[in-house]
Amino acid sequence: PEPRRTLTNSPKPRPTPTVPPEETEIHRFDIRSPGAPAYVASGQVPGRLLNQYSLSEYDGHLRVATTLDSADGDNSSSTVHVLRADTLAKSGEVGGLGNGERIYSVRFIGPVGYCVTFKQVDPLYTLDLRDPSAPRVTGELKITGYSAYLHPGSEGRLIGIGQEASEQGRTLGTQISLFDVSDPANPRRLSQLFQKESGSEAEWDPHAFLYWPRTGLSVIPLSTYAESEQESGAIVLRIDDSGVSKLGMITHPSQDLREHTYQPGIQRSMVIGEEIWTVSYAGVQVNDATTLAERAWIPST
């Protein structure tokens, strides 16, 4: 008799999973007329956006700054894409920004763009976007640390709020930088104010940053977490064409909570007349804009 055969179910080879491409979809709607928005066009770009400042429409084109991670997650690169605003079709792009790094801040001002990438050092790139089909990098500045928020200053000046860092990329505390960008081929830092072991909400919330162009007054929330000095308030600065200087600190009265005393952090500030108004969860304080002397305290409860 024939030998008995044993049937086995051989497992079918499983397909190797692939990571879908990282893309950002962009949709345009017309909201000029009353009623429901009207769909206009759709487009997509590789990578992901950082925040609202990664998008900017200018002269019939949409500029989009993205960071794209590699499939293995060990590498990344950033690109500024230029799309037609009406169709969202690609006009041009400039890539290779901060290979191995990611975007920490970006700002478009008219036909010029500024982009900061970071891993261990902070390259600030200046971009010429006048030709939508051929955007290009015009200059690069490498410094330690990074700027997480960029704000236009006076003509030819750019303000950066972020963190200083060691050459190995370890953050050390808040830094406020003033950049000279009048020569797009040679951006340089004119001034830096460093507060060790501290952080500021202005790094991720632009509404927390106040810059008063008429006088150069600037107010930035600041929390210091050093063991020898713990303080929450707002640092008051003078930012002019040549540098950044500290005028003082504004703090709100200490509050009691369950047998503990804490100093409320300041979230917002504004200039009204000749006074600085600052807002925290505990209340509103009014200080003289020149001397920083306290004028009034209005508790929230």
Side-chain angles (χ1 to χ4, degrees):
E2 294 183 4
R4 183 176 297 174
R5 295 179 180 179
T6 302
L7 299 178
T8 58
N9 294 325
S10 300
K12 295 181 179 179
R14 295 182 178 180
T16 302
T18 57
V19 179
E22 188 178 36
E23 295 179 332
T24 296
E25 295 185 350
I26 302 171
H27 307 282
R28 183 182 179 93
F29 295 87
D30 187 345
I31 58 174
R32 291 174 296 181
S33 301
Y39 171 79
V40 177
S42 294
Q44 61 185 27
V45 294
R48 66 187 184 277
L49 279 65
L50 174 67
N51 54 29
Q52 69 268 38
Y53 294 104
S54 299
L55 288 167
S56 171
E57 187 175 358
Y58 176 78
D59 197 22
H61 287 82
L62 180 69
R63 292 82 63 88
V64 187
T66 65
T67 295
L68 177 64
D69 288 325
S70 61
D72 57 14
D74 293 333
N75 203 356
S76 61
S77 63
S78 298
T79 302
V80 172
H81 311 268
V82 183
L83 312 178
R84 285 180 55 92
D86 53 354
T87 65
L88 296 181
K90 182 188 290 186
S91 293
E93 67 177 43
V94 54
L97 306 177
N99 288 325
E101 303 173 341
R102 67 176 179 87
I103 291 177
Y104 268 65
S105 60
V106 60
R107 196 69 186 246
F108 297 102
I109 304 173
V112 180
Y114 303 98
C115 184
V116 169
T117 62
F118 176 75
K119 187 174 183 180
Q120 289 181 313
V121 295
D122 161 13
L124 168 67
Y125 297 96
T126 57
L127 307 169
D128 182 351
L129 306 171
R130 289 174 296 178
D131 183 353
S133 64
R136 61 191 183 93
V137 174
T138 55
E140 178 182 351
L141 171 66
K142 285 190 176 183
I143 53 178
T144 55
Y146 62 85
S147 295
Y149 175 66
L150 297 173
H151 192 88
S154 57
E155 186 70 24
R157 299 293 185 266
L158 186 68
I159 302 167
I161 312 297
Q163 286 279 310
E164 175 62 289
S166 67
E167 293 184 356
Q168 291 72 41
R170 185 175 69 86
T171 56
L172 302 174
T174 299
Q175 69 171 353
I176 298 96
S177 300
L178 178 67
F179 299 103
D180 179 355
V181 291
S182 57
D183 180 1
N186 184 35
R188 58 194 183 99
R189 184 161 66 182
L190 294 177
S191 179
Q192 176 205 35
L193 190 144
F194 171 57
Q195 292 286 121
K196 69 177 182 178
E197 298 180 304
S198 64
S200 175
E201 285 189 30
E203 290 185 38
W204 63 86
D205 184 355
H207 297 292
F209 174 75
L210 170 67
Y211 173 65
W212 198 245
R214 184 170 62 85
T215 62
L217 181 74
S218 184
V219 183
I220 302 170
L222 191 74
S223 295
T224 301
Y225 46 81
E227 292 185 5
S228 59
E229 179 187 6
Q230 296 188 9
E231 184 180 41
S232 292
I235 187 171
V236 184
L237 310 170
R238 181 82 64 202
I239 304 177
D240 56 25
D241 284 347
S242 59
V244 181
S245 56
K246 180 178 177 180
L247 300 180
M249 284 284 294
I250 292 176
T251 58
H252 285 190
S254 297
Q255 305 293 309
D256 295 325
L257 178 65
R258 297 177 183 176
E259 300 181 354
H260 293 283
T261 300
Y262 74 97
Q263 200 164 31
I266 293 174
Q267 283 80 41
R268 297 290 185 269
S269 57
M270 68 191 79
V271 174
I272 301 178
E274 300 301 322
E275 297 168 329
I276 301 172
W277 290 57
T278 52
V279 181
S280 70
Y281 289 115
V284 178
Q285 185 167 296
V286 184
N287 291 71
D288 186 278
T290 302
T291 66
L292 303 187
E294 182 181 337
R295 293 278 185 82
W297 166 249
I298 307 168
S300 57
T301 56

